Amino acid sequence: MSKGEVKTTVVADGLRYKAKAPGSPFRASASFSGATMSCFMCGKHRVRSQLRTRQLLGKAQTVCAPSCKALDELMASGEGS
């Protein structure tokens, strides 16, 4: 029993999917070093080597290293070359 082709659509209120395509937007990693985490400050997903731990709000949080703005500029200049 095969189902018809399901397209990803968002309900009119924008909160839920009627149907969602399988998979993840983040690449699969066999090793721990290639995994991504989100920055606590900017929310962007980065490779763990681009993050550092910093005390924020009394807890250790992962943030971009050296800073979110500097890392964005570095990534932008790397794409342009």
Side-chain angles (χ1 to χ4, degrees):
M1 297 169 89
S2 81
K3 295 181 181 179
E5 186 176 324
V6 178
K7 302 267 185 194
T8 302
T9 56
V10 179
V11 178
D13 62 9
L15 296 177
R16 293 193 172 92
Y17 288 101
K18 285 187 180 179
K20 184 176 180 297
S24 170
F26 305 107
R27 70 174 190 231
S29 175
S31 66
F32 184 70
S33 62
T36 61
M37 289 184 70
S38 61
C39 171
F40 184 79
M41 301 293 277
C42 67
K44 293 182 181 176
H45 277 255
R46 308 278 191 192
V47 180
R48 291 182 65 95
S49 63
Q50 295 175 335
L51 298 169
R52 67 181 174 107
T53 304
R54 186 171 151 199
Q55 281 293 119
L56 292 170
L57 303 172
K59 295 179 98 177
Q61 305 289 349
T62 54
V63 295
C64 296
S67 69
C68 299
K69 184 177 178 182
L71 193 53
D72 280 340
E73 290 172 358
L74 181 65
M75 299 295 279
S77 67
E79 289 176 1
S81 325

